[in-house]
PDB file of all heavy atoms in Angstrom:
ATOM      1  N   ALA A 837      -2.100  89.075 127.947  1.00  0.00           N
ATOM      2  CA  ALA A 837      -1.824  87.652 128.146  1.00  0.00           C
ATOM      3  C   ALA A 837      -1.134  87.044 126.894  1.00  0.00           C
ATOM      4  O   ALA A 837      -0.180  86.271 127.016  1.00  0.00           O
ATOM      5  CB  ALA A 837      -3.111  86.890 128.452  1.00  0.00           C
ATOM      6  N   LEU A 838      -1.650  87.412 125.739  1.00  0.00           N
ATOM      7  CA  LEU A 838      -1.030  86.923 124.485  1.00  0.00           C
ATOM      8  C   LEU A 838       0.390  87.379 124.388  1.00  0.00           C
ATOM      9  O   LEU A 838       1.304  86.591 124.041  1.00  0.00           O
ATOM     10  CB  LEU A 838      -1.854  87.458 123.293  1.00  0.00           C
ATOM     11  CG  LEU A 838      -1.251  87.160 121.898  1.00  0.00           C
ATOM     12  CD1 LEU A 838      -1.239  85.704 121.630  1.00  0.00           C
ATOM     13  CD2 LEU A 838      -2.030  87.926 120.822  1.00  0.00           C
ATOM     14  N   ARG A 839       0.652  88.653 124.702  1.00  0.00           N
ATOM     15  CA  ARG A 839       2.022  89.160 124.620  1.00  0.00           C
ATOM     16  C   ARG A 839       2.967  88.436 125.567  1.00  0.00           C
ATOM     17  O   ARG A 839       4.086  88.087 125.205  1.00  0.00           O
ATOM     18  CB  ARG A 839       1.992  90.652 124.883  1.00  0.00           C
ATOM     19  CG  ARG A 839       3.353  91.340 124.755  1.00  0.00           C
ATOM     20  CD  ARG A 839       3.235  92.827 124.900  1.00  0.00           C
ATOM     21  NE  ARG A 839       4.535  93.458 124.853  1.00  0.00           N
ATOM     22  CZ  ARG A 839       4.715  94.787 124.924  1.00  0.00           C
ATOM     23  NH1 ARG A 839       3.672  95.609 125.008  1.00  0.00           N
ATOM     24  NH2 ARG A 839       5.933  95.289 124.882  1.00  0.00           N
ATOM     25  N   LEU A 840       2.497  88.185 126.765  1.00  0.00           N
ATOM     26  CA  LEU A 840       3.312  87.426 127.724  1.00  0.00           C
ATOM     27  C   LEU A 840       3.617  86.037 127.241  1.00  0.00           C
ATOM     28  O   LEU A 840       4.724  85.537 127.418  1.00  0.00           O
ATOM     29  CB  LEU A 840       2.617  87.372 129.090  1.00  0.00           C
ATOM     30  CG  LEU A 840       2.558  88.675 129.890  1.00  0.00           C
ATOM     31  CD1 LEU A 840       1.630  88.541 131.078  1.00  0.00           C
ATOM     32  CD2 LEU A 840       3.959  89.100 130.341  1.00  0.00           C
ATOM     33  N   ALA A 841       2.646  85.401 126.602  1.00  0.00           N
ATOM     34  CA  ALA A 841       2.833  84.014 126.120  1.00  0.00           C
ATOM     35  C   ALA A 841       3.886  84.009 125.018  1.00  0.00           C
ATOM     36  O   ALA A 841       4.610  83.012 124.893  1.00  0.00           O
ATOM     37  CB  ALA A 841       1.508  83.498 125.581  1.00  0.00           C
ATOM     38  N   ILE A 842       3.954  85.080 124.254  1.00  0.00           N
ATOM     39  CA  ILE A 842       4.932  85.121 123.153  1.00  0.00           C
ATOM     40  C   ILE A 842       6.295  85.567 123.658  1.00  0.00           C
ATOM     41  O   ILE A 842       7.336  85.012 123.262  1.00  0.00           O
ATOM     42  CB  ILE A 842       4.430  86.080 122.031  1.00  0.00           C
ATOM     43  CG1 ILE A 842       3.211  85.466 121.349  1.00  0.00           C
ATOM     44  CG2 ILE A 842       5.527  86.366 121.026  1.00  0.00           C
ATOM     45  CD1 ILE A 842       2.513  86.378 120.362  1.00  0.00           C
ATOM     46  N   GLU A 843       6.334  86.558 124.523  1.00  0.00           N
ATOM     47  CA  GLU A 843       7.608  87.107 124.980  1.00  0.00           C
ATOM     48  C   GLU A 843       8.210  86.346 126.136  1.00  0.00           C
ATOM     49  O   GLU A 843       9.444  86.370 126.315  1.00  0.00           O
ATOM     50  CB  GLU A 843       7.406  88.584 125.389  1.00  0.00           C
ATOM     51  CG  GLU A 843       7.045  89.486 124.203  1.00  0.00           C
ATOM     52  CD  GLU A 843       6.917  90.940 124.574  1.00  0.00           C
ATOM     53  OE1 GLU A 843       6.798  91.259 125.813  1.00  0.00           O
ATOM     54  OE2 GLU A 843       6.903  91.779 123.672  1.00  0.00           O
ATOM     55  N   HIS A 844       7.374  85.644 126.937  1.00  0.00           N
ATOM     56  CA  HIS A 844       7.885  84.933 128.110  1.00  0.00           C
ATOM     57  C   HIS A 844       7.193  83.545 128.222  1.00  0.00           C
ATOM     58  O   HIS A 844       6.575  83.241 129.215  1.00  0.00           O
ATOM     59  CB  HIS A 844       7.641  85.713 129.402  1.00  0.00           C
ATOM     60  CG  HIS A 844       8.259  87.065 129.409  1.00  0.00           C
ATOM     61  ND1 HIS A 844       9.597  87.250 129.730  1.00  0.00           N
ATOM     62  CD2 HIS A 844       7.776  88.302 129.123  1.00  0.00           C
ATOM     63  CE1 HIS A 844       9.912  88.536 129.618  1.00  0.00           C
ATOM     64  NE2 HIS A 844       8.822  89.185 129.282  1.00  0.00           N
ATOM     65  N   PRO A 845       7.330  82.739 127.185  1.00  0.00           N
ATOM     66  CA  PRO A 845       6.601  81.457 127.175  1.00  0.00           C
ATOM     67  C   PRO A 845       7.000  80.533 128.333  1.00  0.00           C
ATOM     68  O   PRO A 845       6.164  79.654 128.738  1.00  0.00           O
ATOM     69  CB  PRO A 845       6.973  80.845 125.836  1.00  0.00           C
ATOM     70  CG  PRO A 845       8.269  81.511 125.426  1.00  0.00           C
ATOM     71  CD  PRO A 845       8.155  82.894 125.986  1.00  0.00           C
ATOM     72  N   GLU A 846       8.192  80.677 128.847  1.00  0.00           N
ATOM     73  CA  GLU A 846       8.646  79.801 129.941  1.00  0.00           C
ATOM     74  C   GLU A 846       7.846  80.034 131.247  1.00  0.00           C
ATOM     75  O   GLU A 846       7.882  79.196 132.144  1.00  0.00           O
ATOM     76  CB  GLU A 846      10.129  80.024 130.190  1.00  0.00           C
ATOM     77  CG  GLU A 846      10.521  81.328 130.877  1.00  0.00           C
ATOM     78  CD  GLU A 846      10.508  82.564 129.950  1.00  0.00           C
ATOM     79  OE1 GLU A 846      10.207  82.378 128.739  1.00  0.00           O
ATOM     80  OE2 GLU A 846      10.791  83.658 130.445  1.00  0.00           O
ATOM     81  N   LEU A 847       7.127  81.160 131.314  1.00  0.00           N
ATOM     82  CA  LEU A 847       6.355  81.477 132.502  1.00  0.00           C
ATOM     83  C   LEU A 847       4.881  81.153 132.373  1.00  0.00           C
ATOM     84  O   LEU A 847       4.105  81.359 133.317  1.00  0.00           O
ATOM     85  CB  LEU A 847       6.496  82.960 132.834  1.00  0.00           C
ATOM     86  CG  LEU A 847       7.904  83.490 133.046  1.00  0.00           C
ATOM     87  CD1 LEU A 847       7.896  84.988 133.324  1.00  0.00           C
ATOM     88  CD2 LEU A 847       8.597  82.734 134.196  1.00  0.00           C
ATOM     89  N   VAL A 848       4.468  80.649 131.213  1.00  0.00           N
ATOM     90  CA  VAL A 848       3.044  80.522 130.924  1.00  0.00           C
ATOM     91  C   VAL A 848       2.697  79.046 130.616  1.00  0.00           C
ATOM     92  O   VAL A 848       3.270  78.478 129.696  1.00  0.00           O
ATOM     93  CB  VAL A 848       2.639  81.419 129.741  1.00  0.00           C
ATOM     94  CG1 VAL A 848       1.146  81.281 129.458  1.00  0.00           C
ATOM     95  CG2 VAL A 848       2.991  82.875 130.029  1.00  0.00           C
ATOM     96  N   ARG A 849       1.785  78.482 131.377  1.00  0.00           N
ATOM     97  CA  ARG A 849       1.386  77.090 131.187  1.00  0.00           C
ATOM     98  C   ARG A 849       0.282  77.021 130.119  1.00  0.00           C
ATOM     99  O   ARG A 849       0.259  76.087 129.314  1.00  0.00           O
ATOM    100  CB  ARG A 849       0.894  76.507 132.506  1.00  0.00           C
ATOM    101  CG  ARG A 849       0.422  75.073 132.429  1.00  0.00           C
ATOM    102  CD  ARG A 849       0.284  74.441 133.791  1.00  0.00           C
ATOM    103  NE  ARG A 849      -0.476  75.302 134.699  1.00  0.00           N
ATOM    104  CZ  ARG A 849      -0.086  75.586 135.940  1.00  0.00           C
ATOM    105  NH1 ARG A 849       1.051  75.106 136.403  1.00  0.00           N
ATOM    106  NH2 ARG A 849      -0.808  76.395 136.713  1.00  0.00           N
ATOM    107  N   SER A 850      -0.646  77.938 130.125  1.00  0.00           N
ATOM    108  CA  SER A 850      -1.701  77.993 129.133  1.00  0.00           C
ATOM    109  C   SER A 850      -2.214  79.418 129.049  1.00  0.00           C
ATOM    110  O   SER A 850      -2.009  80.229 129.960  1.00  0.00           O
ATOM    111  CB  SER A 850      -2.857  77.041 129.510  1.00  0.00           C
ATOM    112  OG  SER A 850      -3.625  77.583 130.598  1.00  0.00           O
ATOM    113  N   ILE A 851      -2.936  79.720 127.958  1.00  0.00           N
ATOM    114  CA  ILE A 851      -3.560  81.019 127.827  1.00  0.00           C
ATOM    115  C   ILE A 851      -5.023  80.836 127.435  1.00  0.00           C
ATOM    116  O   ILE A 851      -5.320  80.082 126.526  1.00  0.00           O
ATOM    117  CB  ILE A 851      -2.844  81.954 126.833  1.00  0.00           C
ATOM    118  CG1 ILE A 851      -2.539  81.229 125.511  1.00  0.00           C
ATOM    119  CG2 ILE A 851      -1.589  82.539 127.425  1.00  0.00           C
ATOM    120  CD1 ILE A 851      -2.038  82.163 124.410  1.00  0.00           C
ATOM    121  N   THR A 852      -5.884  81.574 128.106  1.00  0.00           N
ATOM    122  CA  THR A 852      -7.285  81.710 127.716  1.00  0.00           C
ATOM    123  C   THR A 852      -7.511  83.159 127.293  1.00  0.00           C
ATOM    124  O   THR A 852      -7.373  84.060 128.109  1.00  0.00           O
ATOM    125  CB  THR A 852      -8.263  81.317 128.824  1.00  0.00           C
ATOM    126  OG1 THR A 852      -8.082  79.925 129.171  1.00  0.00           O
ATOM    127  CG2 THR A 852      -9.706  81.562 128.449  1.00  0.00           C
ATOM    128  N   LEU A 853      -7.834  83.365 126.026  1.00  0.00           N
ATOM    129  CA  LEU A 853      -7.996  84.703 125.473  1.00  0.00           C
ATOM    130  C   LEU A 853      -9.467  84.930 125.119  1.00  0.00           C
ATOM    131  O   LEU A 853      -9.976  84.306 124.207  1.00  0.00           O
ATOM    132  CB  LEU A 853      -7.130  84.868 124.201  1.00  0.00           C
ATOM    133  CG  LEU A 853      -5.636  84.502 124.349  1.00  0.00           C
ATOM    134  CD1 LEU A 853      -4.920  84.649 123.016  1.00  0.00           C
ATOM    135  CD2 LEU A 853      -4.973  85.315 125.428  1.00  0.00           C
ATOM    136  N   ILE A 854     -10.114  85.771 125.880  1.00  0.00           N
ATOM    137  CA  ILE A 854     -11.524  86.089 125.665  1.00  0.00           C
ATOM    138  C   ILE A 854     -11.617  87.362 124.841  1.00  0.00           C
ATOM    139  O   ILE A 854     -11.385  88.463 125.364  1.00  0.00           O
ATOM    140  CB  ILE A 854     -12.257  86.203 127.008  1.00  0.00           C
ATOM    141  CG1 ILE A 854     -12.010  84.958 127.900  1.00  0.00           C
ATOM    142  CG2 ILE A 854     -13.730  86.446 126.769  1.00  0.00           C
ATOM    143  CD1 ILE A 854     -12.498  85.144 129.315  1.00  0.00           C
ATOM    144  N   GLU A 855     -11.900  87.211 123.570  1.00  0.00           N
ATOM    145  CA  GLU A 855     -12.046  88.329 122.641  1.00  0.00           C
ATOM    146  C   GLU A 855     -10.913  89.381 122.761  1.00  0.00           C
ATOM    147  O   GLU A 855     -11.143  90.532 123.051  1.00  0.00           O
ATOM    148  CB  GLU A 855     -13.417  88.999 122.797  1.00  0.00           C
ATOM    149  CG  GLU A 855     -14.545  88.075 122.415  1.00  0.00           C
ATOM    150  CD  GLU A 855     -15.804  88.771 121.991  1.00  0.00           C
ATOM    151  OE1 GLU A 855     -15.816  89.998 121.825  1.00  0.00           O
ATOM    152  OE2 GLU A 855     -16.810  88.059 121.774  1.00  0.00           O
ATOM    153  N   PRO A 856      -9.673  88.944 122.551  1.00  0.00           N
ATOM    154  CA  PRO A 856      -8.555  89.911 122.562  1.00  0.00           C
ATOM    155  C   PRO A 856      -8.752  90.935 121.428  1.00  0.00           C
ATOM    156  O   PRO A 856      -9.014  90.583 120.285  1.00  0.00           O
ATOM    157  CB  PRO A 856      -7.350  89.034 122.303  1.00  0.00           C
ATOM    158  CG  PRO A 856      -7.883  87.818 121.600  1.00  0.00           C
ATOM    159  CD  PRO A 856      -9.259  87.599 122.155  1.00  0.00           C
ATOM    160  N   VAL A 857      -8.619  92.210 121.765  1.00  0.00           N
ATOM    161  CA  VAL A 857      -8.826  93.286 120.788  1.00  0.00           C
ATOM    162  C   VAL A 857      -7.500  93.628 120.082  1.00  0.00           C
ATOM    163  O   VAL A 857      -7.081  94.797 119.993  1.00  0.00           O
ATOM    164  CB  VAL A 857      -9.475  94.523 121.441  1.00  0.00           C
ATOM    165  CG1 VAL A 857     -10.934  94.260 121.699  1.00  0.00           C
ATOM    166  CG2 VAL A 857      -8.740  94.916 122.706  1.00  0.00           C
ATOM    167  N   TYR A 858      -6.897  92.593 119.521  1.00  0.00           N
ATOM    168  CA  TYR A 858      -5.642  92.754 118.803  1.00  0.00           C
ATOM    169  C   TYR A 858      -5.934  93.048 117.329  1.00  0.00           C
ATOM    170  O   TYR A 858      -5.755  92.176 116.478  1.00  0.00           O
ATOM    171  CB  TYR A 858      -4.831  91.452 118.981  1.00  0.00           C
ATOM    172  CG  TYR A 858      -3.399  91.529 118.547  1.00  0.00           C
ATOM    173  CD1 TYR A 858      -2.653  92.715 118.542  1.00  0.00           C
ATOM    174  CD2 TYR A 858      -2.750  90.374 118.098  1.00  0.00           C
ATOM    175  CE1 TYR A 858      -1.344  92.737 118.139  1.00  0.00           C
ATOM    176  CE2 TYR A 858      -1.435  90.374 117.696  1.00  0.00           C
ATOM    177  CZ  TYR A 858      -0.730  91.564 117.721  1.00  0.00           C
ATOM    178  OH  TYR A 858       0.572  91.591 117.315  1.00  0.00           O
ATOM    179  N   PHE A 859      -6.383  94.269 117.084  1.00  0.00           N
ATOM    180  CA  PHE A 859      -6.838  94.676 115.741  1.00  0.00           C
ATOM    181  C   PHE A 859      -5.744  94.503 114.712  1.00  0.00           C
ATOM    182  O   PHE A 859      -6.023  94.274 113.513  1.00  0.00           O
ATOM    183  CB  PHE A 859      -7.320  96.101 115.768  1.00  0.00           C
ATOM    184  CG  PHE A 859      -8.468  96.355 116.719  1.00  0.00           C
ATOM    185  CD1 PHE A 859      -8.272  97.074 117.898  1.00  0.00           C
ATOM    186  CD2 PHE A 859      -9.709  95.860 116.455  1.00  0.00           C
ATOM    187  CE1 PHE A 859      -9.317  97.326 118.788  1.00  0.00           C
ATOM    188  CE2 PHE A 859     -10.779  96.066 117.340  1.00  0.00           C
ATOM    189  CZ  PHE A 859     -10.563  96.796 118.488  1.00  0.00           C
ATOM    190  N   ALA A 860      -4.503  94.634 115.111  1.00  0.00           N
ATOM    191  CA  ALA A 860      -3.397  94.540 114.145  1.00  0.00           C
ATOM    192  C   ALA A 860      -3.389  93.213 113.407  1.00  0.00           C
ATOM    193  O   ALA A 860      -3.074  93.167 112.223  1.00  0.00           O
ATOM    194  CB  ALA A 860      -2.061  94.778 114.865  1.00  0.00           C
ATOM    195  N   ALA A 861      -3.728  92.121 114.089  1.00  0.00           N
ATOM    196  CA  ALA A 861      -3.733  90.831 113.454  1.00  0.00           C
ATOM    197  C   ALA A 861      -4.852  90.737 112.419  1.00  0.00           C
ATOM    198  O   ALA A 861      -4.629  90.266 111.300  1.00  0.00           O
ATOM    199  CB  ALA A 861      -3.912  89.722 114.514  1.00  0.00           C
ATOM    200  N   ALA A 862      -6.052  91.202 112.771  1.00  0.00           N
ATOM    201  CA  ALA A 862      -7.160  91.166 111.796  1.00  0.00           C
ATOM    202  C   ALA A 862      -6.910  92.102 110.645  1.00  0.00           C
ATOM    203  O   ALA A 862      -7.325  91.851 109.501  1.00  0.00           O
ATOM    204  CB  ALA A 862      -8.448  91.509 112.506  1.00  0.00           C
ATOM    205  N   LYS A 863      -6.265  93.238 110.921  1.00  0.00           N
ATOM    206  CA  LYS A 863      -5.944  94.182 109.868  1.00  0.00           C
ATOM    207  C   LYS A 863      -5.086  93.535 108.810  1.00  0.00           C
ATOM    208  O   LYS A 863      -5.229  93.767 107.579  1.00  0.00           O
ATOM    209  CB  LYS A 863      -5.224  95.417 110.451  1.00  0.00           C
ATOM    210  CG  LYS A 863      -4.941  96.492 109.441  1.00  0.00           C
ATOM    211  CD  LYS A 863      -4.061  97.582 110.022  1.00  0.00           C
ATOM    212  CE  LYS A 863      -4.703  98.269 111.190  1.00  0.00           C
ATOM    213  NZ  LYS A 863      -3.864  99.385 111.709  1.00  0.00           N
ATOM    214  N   GLN A 864      -4.186  92.641 109.249  1.00  0.00           N
ATOM    215  CA  GLN A 864      -3.277  91.967 108.303  1.00  0.00           C
ATOM    216  C   GLN A 864      -3.988  90.802 107.587  1.00  0.00           C
ATOM    217  O   GLN A 864      -3.773  90.577 106.399  1.00  0.00           O
ATOM    218  CB  GLN A 864      -2.086  91.468 109.062  1.00  0.00           C
ATOM    219  CG  GLN A 864      -0.957  90.955 108.171  1.00  0.00           C
ATOM    220  CD  GLN A 864       0.313  90.657 109.000  1.00  0.00           C
ATOM    221  OE1 GLN A 864       0.688  89.526 109.172  1.00  0.00           O
ATOM    222  NE2 GLN A 864       0.965  91.718 109.473  1.00  0.00           N
ATOM    223  N   ASP A 865      -4.848  90.107 108.319  1.00  0.00           N
ATOM    224  CA  ASP A 865      -5.457  88.868 107.784  1.00  0.00           C
ATOM    225  C   ASP A 865      -6.827  89.061 107.168  1.00  0.00           C
ATOM    226  O   ASP A 865      -7.257  88.277 106.297  1.00  0.00           O
ATOM    227  CB  ASP A 865      -5.562  87.792 108.882  1.00  0.00           C
ATOM    228  CG  ASP A 865      -4.179  87.302 109.332  1.00  0.00           C
ATOM    229  OD1 ASP A 865      -3.201  87.613 108.638  1.00  0.00           O
ATOM    230  OD2 ASP A 865      -4.125  86.642 110.356  1.00  0.00           O
ATOM    231  N   ASP A 866      -7.581  90.053 107.653  1.00  0.00           N
ATOM    232  CA  ASP A 866      -8.954  90.253 107.164  1.00  0.00           C
ATOM    233  C   ASP A 866      -9.225  91.754 107.061  1.00  0.00           C
ATOM    234  O   ASP A 866     -10.014  92.317 107.822  1.00  0.00           O
ATOM    235  CB  ASP A 866      -9.965  89.605 108.136  1.00  0.00           C
ATOM    236  CG  ASP A 866     -11.343  89.517 107.558  1.00  0.00           C
ATOM    237  OD1 ASP A 866     -11.626  90.189 106.562  1.00  0.00           O
ATOM    238  OD2 ASP A 866     -12.175  88.778 108.151  1.00  0.00           O
ATOM    239  N   PRO A 867      -8.593  92.421 106.102  1.00  0.00           N
ATOM    240  CA  PRO A 867      -8.709  93.875 105.998  1.00  0.00           C
ATOM    241  C   PRO A 867     -10.136  94.348 105.714  1.00  0.00           C
ATOM    242  O   PRO A 867     -10.519  95.453 106.134  1.00  0.00           O
ATOM    243  CB  PRO A 867      -7.808  94.220 104.825  1.00  0.00           C
ATOM    244  CG  PRO A 867      -7.570  92.949 104.092  1.00  0.00           C
ATOM    245  CD  PRO A 867      -7.680  91.881 105.087  1.00  0.00           C
ATOM    246  N   ASP A 868     -10.963  93.526 105.093  1.00  0.00           N
ATOM    247  CA  ASP A 868     -12.360  93.928 104.821  1.00  0.00           C
ATOM    248  C   ASP A 868     -13.114  94.071 106.135  1.00  0.00           C
ATOM    249  O   ASP A 868     -13.890  95.009 106.340  1.00  0.00           O
ATOM    250  CB  ASP A 868     -13.048  92.925 103.919  1.00  0.00           C
ATOM    251  CG  ASP A 868     -12.543  92.969 102.499  1.00  0.00           C
ATOM    252  OD1 ASP A 868     -11.912  94.002 102.123  1.00  0.00           O
ATOM    253  OD2 ASP A 868     -12.727  91.980 101.764  1.00  0.00           O
ATOM    254  N   ALA A 869     -12.933  93.119 107.054  1.00  0.00           N
ATOM    255  CA  ALA A 869     -13.617  93.180 108.336  1.00  0.00           C
ATOM    256  C   ALA A 869     -13.165  94.413 109.117  1.00  0.00           C
ATOM    257  O   ALA A 869     -13.977  95.082 109.760  1.00  0.00           O
ATOM    258  CB  ALA A 869     -13.337  91.923 109.149  1.00  0.00           C
ATOM    259  N   MET A 870     -11.887  94.733 109.043  1.00  0.00           N
ATOM    260  CA  MET A 870     -11.379  95.868 109.777  1.00  0.00           C
ATOM    261  C   MET A 870     -11.837  97.176 109.127  1.00  0.00           C
ATOM    262  O   MET A 870     -12.072  98.168 109.835  1.00  0.00           O
ATOM    263  CB  MET A 870      -9.851  95.823 109.890  1.00  0.00           C
ATOM    264  CG  MET A 870      -9.355  94.782 110.892  1.00  0.00           C
ATOM    265  SD  MET A 870     -10.151  94.965 112.534  1.00  0.00           S
ATOM    266  CE  MET A 870      -9.745  96.665 112.947  1.00  0.00           C
ATOM    267  N   ALA A 871     -11.962  97.205 107.824  1.00  0.00           N
ATOM    268  CA  ALA A 871     -12.452  98.407 107.142  1.00  0.00           C
ATOM    269  C   ALA A 871     -13.888  98.695 107.593  1.00  0.00           C
ATOM    270  O   ALA A 871     -14.263  99.858 107.857  1.00  0.00           O
ATOM    271  CB  ALA A 871     -12.396  98.252 105.635  1.00  0.00           C
ATOM    272  N   GLU A 872     -14.692  97.673 107.705  1.00  0.00           N
ATOM    273  CA  GLU A 872     -16.063  97.826 108.187  1.00  0.00           C
ATOM    274  C   GLU A 872     -16.093  98.344 109.616  1.00  0.00           C
ATOM    275  O   GLU A 872     -16.858  99.238 109.969  1.00  0.00           O
ATOM    276  CB  GLU A 872     -16.817  96.504 108.076  1.00  0.00           C
ATOM    277  CG  GLU A 872     -18.246  96.571 108.541  1.00  0.00           C
ATOM    278  CD  GLU A 872     -18.981  95.246 108.399  1.00  0.00           C
ATOM    279  OE1 GLU A 872     -18.485  94.372 107.651  1.00  0.00           O
ATOM    280  OE2 GLU A 872     -20.029  95.079 109.025  1.00  0.00           O
ATOM    281  N   TYR A 873     -15.223  97.789 110.447  1.00  0.00           N
ATOM    282  CA  TYR A 873     -15.157  98.223 111.854  1.00  0.00           C
ATOM    283  C   TYR A 873     -14.710  99.679 111.922  1.00  0.00           C
ATOM    284  O   TYR A 873     -15.261 100.450 112.712  1.00  0.00           O
ATOM    285  CB  TYR A 873     -14.194  97.324 112.636  1.00  0.00           C
ATOM    286  CG  TYR A 873     -13.906  97.865 114.021  1.00  0.00           C
ATOM    287  CD1 TYR A 873     -14.899  97.820 115.004  1.00  0.00           C
ATOM    288  CD2 TYR A 873     -12.698  98.472 114.318  1.00  0.00           C
ATOM    289  CE1 TYR A 873     -14.677  98.335 116.269  1.00  0.00           C
ATOM    290  CE2 TYR A 873     -12.478  98.982 115.600  1.00  0.00           C
ATOM    291  CZ  TYR A 873     -13.455  98.924 116.546  1.00  0.00           C
ATOM    292  OH  TYR A 873     -13.227  99.472 117.796  1.00  0.00           O
TER     293      TYR A 873
END
C-alpha cells in the first residue's frame, strides 16, 4: 500500500498502514533498533 501511494498517488485517496514491515526505513533512521532485531 505504501509503495502504491508513492508510485501511483493519483489512484490513492488515503492509506492505512498497520505495522508495515519496511525494515529498510528503520535501518536508515534507527540502526540500533534494527541491529537488535
Side-chain angles (χ1 to χ4, degrees):
L838 173 65
R839 183 173 177 179
L840 288 169
I842 292 173
E843 295 183 344
H844 301 279
E846 72 282 359
L847 302 179
V848 181
R849 180 167 46 228
S850 74
I851 48 172
T852 296
L853 308 178
I854 306 170
E855 296 205 7
V857 285
Y858 190 29
F859 300 109
K863 184 187 299 185
Q864 191 172 108
D865 293 347
D866 193 346
D868 289 342
M870 285 309 302
E872 181 179 343
Y873 171 72

